[in-house]
Amino acid sequence: MHVNGKVALVTGGAQGIGRAFVQALLGKGAKVALLDRNSEAGQESKAALDEQFEAQRTVFIQCDVTDEEQLKDAFKKVIEHFGRLDIVVNNAGVNNEKDWESTIQTNLTSVIRGTYLGLEYMRKGNGGNGGVIINISSLAGLMPAAFQPVYCATKHGVIGFTRSIAPINNC
Ligand SMILES: NC(=O)c1ccc[n+]([C@@H]2O[C@H](COP(=O)([O-])OP(=O)(O)OC[C@H]3O[C@@H](n4cnc5c(N)ncnc54)[C@H](O)[C@@H]3O)[C@@H](O)[C@H]2O)c1
């Protein structure tokens, strides 16, 4: 896929791997919406990226991906802002075994919801232009991870879900 001129949405885009995705996509000519629940980090990232790339190519949207309405609303805002959507990176993730239900919500439920939203907006049969959805897993999705059973389960889930849905949604 040619990235130049495309529009990408990256969850957990304020720091770490998500931020690296944002930077790489901007470097290849995309416009990028970075979603994150951390408003301060999101605004700081946007400001830093604006020094490197044209400011209008990046938008920060505060969004907790575990909140269904916030995630739906963020997808809508991206389309309203940039007029299209071509790439979704479901990256936001946490590793918290104590708050394990929230870990499942963030790492698995939100990835599934983000995939369905991406399909809704990008699928050619739905009036979209086709696109690419990238779901971030981990080595812990391929093998057991000592002392991280829930994180490991979510990352296995991401791989199982993505492998199962990809062949029937080739957009
Ligand atoms: N860092 C690693 O070594 C590693 C290895 C394998 C996989 N991963 C996966 O890569 C992804 C990114 O990891 P990272 O190391 O960059 O993490 P990180 O903690 O550096 O960044 C995660 C970002 O996601 C945001 N976030 C967390 N929960 C959120 C929520 N509910 N809603 C919106 N934003 C939220 C955080 O605010 C943060 O900006 C995760 O899915 C992680 O499991 C990381």
Side-chain angles (χ1 to χ4, degrees):
M1 181 196 217
H2 294 291
V3 171
N4 194 23
K6 298 284 197 298
V7 173
L9 177 160
V10 181
T11 70
Q15 68 176 52
I17 293 170
R19 162 90 184 262
F21 259 104
V22 173
Q23 180 125 10
L25 287 162
L26 287 167
K28 292 203 174 295
K31 297 170 188 164
V32 185
L34 60 111
L35 273 54
D36 208 287
R37 67 178 172 184
N38 185 337
S39 172
E40 202 182 325
Q43 278 162 9
E44 272 173 26
S45 285
K46 157 108 180 99
L49 291 163
D50 287 351
E51 289 180 13
Q52 224 183 321
F53 307 98
E54 300 106 303
Q56 68 270 20
R57 286 177 53 206
T58 313
V59 65
F60 167 64
I61 299 171
Q62 185 177 16
C63 169
D64 182 338
V65 296
T66 64
D67 183 312
E68 182 176 355
E69 286 314 309
Q70 283 188 34
L71 190 59
K72 282 184 177 168
D73 196 45
F75 270 75
K76 233 188 254 170
K77 280 184 183 153
V78 175
I79 306 274
E80 281 165 12
H81 187 83
F82 287 126
R84 57 185 291 146
L85 180 63
D86 307 285
I87 300 164
V88 173
V89 185
N90 290 307
N91 160 80
V94 291
N95 189 348
N96 186 338
E97 293 294 323
K98 276 193 184 148
D99 194 359
W100 60 266
E101 283 157 313
S102 159
T103 296
I104 294 172
Q105 290 267 313
T106 311
N107 295 7
L108 185 56
T109 309
S110 305
V111 168
I112 293 172
R113 183 163 290 126
T115 301
Y116 284 142
L117 284 166
L119 287 170
E120 190 182 319
Y121 284 108
M122 300 192 299
R123 195 188 261 151
K124 283 182 182 156
N126 276 1
N129 303 307
V132 171
I133 300 176
I134 298 165
N135 293 335
I136 303 301
S137 181
S138 164
L139 265 183
L142 295 169
M143 58 183 74
F147 309 112
Q148 301 170 67
V150 174
Y151 180 76
C152 185
T154 62
K155 294 303 184 180
H156 273 70
V158 169
I159 290 180
F161 171 74
T162 306
R163 280 186 175 156
S164 305
I165 201 156
I168 51 169
N169 284 286
N170 222 334
C171 62

